[in-house]
Amino acid sequence: MSKNKLLSPFKPASHKHQKCLQSAISVAKKHCEVEGLRLTPIRQRVLELVWQSHEPVKAYDILDELKRSKSSSAPPTVYRALDFLLEEGLVHKIESLNAYIGCGNPKDIHKGQFFICHDCGSVAELDDDEIRDLLQKKAKRFGFEINDEMVEIKGYCLECRELKNK
Amino acid sequence: MSKNKLLSPFKPASHKHQKCLQSAISVAKKHCEVEGLRLTPIRQRVLELVWQSHEPVKAYDILDELKRSKSSSAPPTVYRALDFLLEEGLVHKIESLNAYIGCGNPKDIHKGQFFICHDCGSVAELDDDEIRDLLQKKAKRFGFEINDEMVEIKGYCLECRELKNK
DNA sequence: ACTGTTATGTTATAATGTAACATTTGTAGC
DNA sequence: GCTACAAATGTTACATTATAACATAACAGT
């Protein structure tokens, strides 16, 4: 079956973000349990910090937060946790921003397509086989074998555009 | 008319790269002349260095080279030249590599789609409206207005795959 | 408890990119 | 040519992002 999911849509400014966070953590716990991996306190804390919003978060911002409760934290603390979470598909890196964003669908590890609003900074994630198939088709024409993909689209989300038109 | 161009294909290892370089420089000169811009010696030199190969080049590698002939060179020397060249569509930044690659088609300033070989490091650039249209269509569904796009695909080019299969 | 593996602590440094201000060079009008 | 303004470069310092390397601690299987 072909995927065509808006994995993570733009949320209205008013949405109950606590639920997003709680759900993400419980998904992560489940995932690690099933895979026999350890969601250690540091890893979980970093994941929570990444999920503080639907905007990509910077590694050193995470570090600053970590230090508030654990002064022993250092860059490797954060980057190791992020590496683990990236590896498991629990977060994605937005390359064009050097920042990290949570992903609620670690199961089948994927690379999504990201839509990033210039105004509010929020990100929507798509996981769309039509895009992937098209890229595949294009690649095939010159004998290229795809193994990793990065699609990051910037622009303006509906909510921000409507705000501006008022 | 819809674009569907392999702007810059993978080149056989044996191709005459001098021609690529010369052509790129002459295109750049023309472009700047037409636009009333100055392709200063520094800018031209940086462009030449970016075009030393079909692999993305790192800013600090360019700097190292610049220093060999002009010890006064410093990071801003390179980044300013790159900013100018990026602005004019004479180079692109590959975000996922923090590296820069020449573009031979500055006329209508575009964002291409890049295919990057893990083995040889070479990059092919596509400028394809079918991809853009599809992304546009997807974006439209949730009211997103696209204004900038980054598509960077990694994998294995034909030549490298054939080498491995021997 | 012993042992190998995984995770974390710790220090230092590499790699990438920008701010801010001084100086020089080019250009347009006189 | 001279002047004045703008554009480009020089220079120093620093900000941001990320990794190397080695020590210690926590955990899991026997």
Side-chain angles (χ1 to χ4, degrees):
Chain A
M1 189 203 117
S2 180
K3 281 177 294 181
N4 177 359
K5 282 180 285 191
L6 186 49
L7 268 195
S8 164
F10 287 102
K11 310 282 193 208
S14 60
H15 82 290
K16 301 231 168 89
H17 188 63
Q18 275 307 312
K19 292 214 169 173
C20 299
L21 202 166
Q22 281 163 18
S23 157
I25 298 301
S26 94
V27 163
K29 279 182 174 158
K30 194 74 166 191
H31 172 83
C32 289
E33 200 177 316
V34 169
E35 300 288 324
L37 300 167
R38 296 165 56 204
L39 189 64
T40 63
I42 290 177
R43 288 166 177 175
Q44 180 171 335
R45 184 79 187 107
V46 168
L47 185 58
E48 286 165 6
L49 290 169
V50 167
W51 272 99
Q52 282 311 346
S53 73
H54 293 276
E55 301 173 35
V57 176
K58 302 244 147 199
Y60 274 73
D61 289 346
I62 294 172
L63 179 54
D64 288 343
E65 274 308 310
L66 276 189
K67 276 182 177 162
R68 295 163 70 94
S69 47
K70 251 201 148 186
S71 62
S72 73
S73 307
T77 315
V78 172
Y79 283 104
R80 282 166 181 157
L82 285 174
D83 284 346
F84 172 84
L85 298 168
L86 285 165
E87 188 73 28
E88 295 308 315
L90 292 163
V91 311
H92 294 296
K93 179 174 185 184
I94 306 294
E95 298 284 353
S96 61
L97 298 176
N98 296 318
Y100 304 84
I101 186 137
C103 178
N105 290 63
K107 288 131 212 181
D108 98 280
I109 290 176
H110 62 279
K111 287 283 203 157
Q113 297 91 33
F114 300 95
F115 294 78
I116 305 156
C117 180
H118 279 306
D119 279 352
C120 66
S122 281
V123 170
E125 178 181 356
L126 211 63
D127 183 15
D128 187 299
D129 277 343
E130 202 181 341
I131 295 173
R132 251 187 295 266
D133 289 348
L134 180 57
L135 292 170
Q136 198 66 252
K137 185 179 106 187
K138 299 292 177 184
K140 204 163 187 177
R141 290 199 185 152
F142 47 98
F144 191 85
E145 181 186 310
I146 293 178
N147 140 296
D148 190 11
E149 51 180 71
M150 192 214 81
V151 176
E152 299 176 8
I153 310 300
K154 300 203 182 132
Y156 301 94
C157 76
L158 185 58
E159 195 167 358
C160 287
R161 286 167 55 218
E162 285 176 343
L163 271 178
K164 276 187 293 196
N165 290 338
K166 270 181 193 155
Chain B
M1 189 202 117
S2 179
K3 282 176 293 180
N4 177 0
K5 283 180 283 191
L6 187 48
L7 270 195
S8 164
F10 287 103
K11 310 282 192 203
S14 61
H15 83 289
K16 300 230 169 89
H17 188 63
Q18 274 308 311
K19 293 212 170 177
C20 300
L21 201 165
Q22 281 163 17
S23 157
I25 298 301
S26 93
V27 164
K29 279 182 174 159
K30 194 73 165 191
H31 172 83
C32 289
E33 201 177 318
V34 169
E35 300 289 323
L37 300 168
R38 296 166 55 204
L39 189 63
T40 62
I42 291 178
R43 289 167 177 176
Q44 179 171 337
R45 184 79 187 105
V46 168
L47 185 59
E48 285 166 7
L49 290 169
V50 167
W51 272 99
Q52 282 311 346
S53 73
H54 293 276
E55 301 173 36
V57 177
K58 301 244 147 198
Y60 274 73
D61 289 346
I62 295 172
L63 178 55
D64 289 343
E65 274 308 310
L66 277 190
K67 278 183 177 160
R68 295 164 68 96
S69 47
K70 253 202 147 182
S71 62
S72 74
S73 307
T77 315
V78 173
Y79 283 104
R80 284 166 181 158
L82 285 174
D83 283 347
F84 171 84
L85 298 168
L86 287 164
E87 189 73 27
E88 295 309 314
L90 293 163
V91 312
H92 294 295
K93 179 172 186 186
I94 306 293
E95 298 286 350
S96 61
L97 298 175
N98 296 318
Y100 303 84
I101 186 135
C103 177
N105 290 64
K107 289 133 215 178
D108 98 283
I109 290 176
H110 62 281
K111 286 283 203 159
Q113 298 90 33
F114 300 95
F115 294 79
I116 305 156
C117 179
H118 280 306
D119 279 352
C120 66
S122 280
V123 170
E125 178 180 357
L126 211 62
D127 183 15
D128 187 299
D129 277 342
E130 201 180 342
I131 294 172
R132 251 187 295 267
D133 290 348
L134 181 57
L135 291 171
Q136 198 64 252
K137 185 179 105 189
K138 298 292 175 183
K140 204 165 188 176
R141 290 199 187 154
F142 47 97
F144 191 86
E145 182 185 310
I146 293 179
N147 140 295
D148 190 12
E149 50 179 73
M150 270 137 293
V151 176
E152 300 174 10
I153 309 299
K154 300 203 184 133
Y156 302 95
C157 75
L158 185 59
E159 192 167 0
C160 287
R161 286 167 56 216
E162 285 176 343
L163 271 177
K164 276 189 291 198
N165 290 338
K166 271 184 189 148

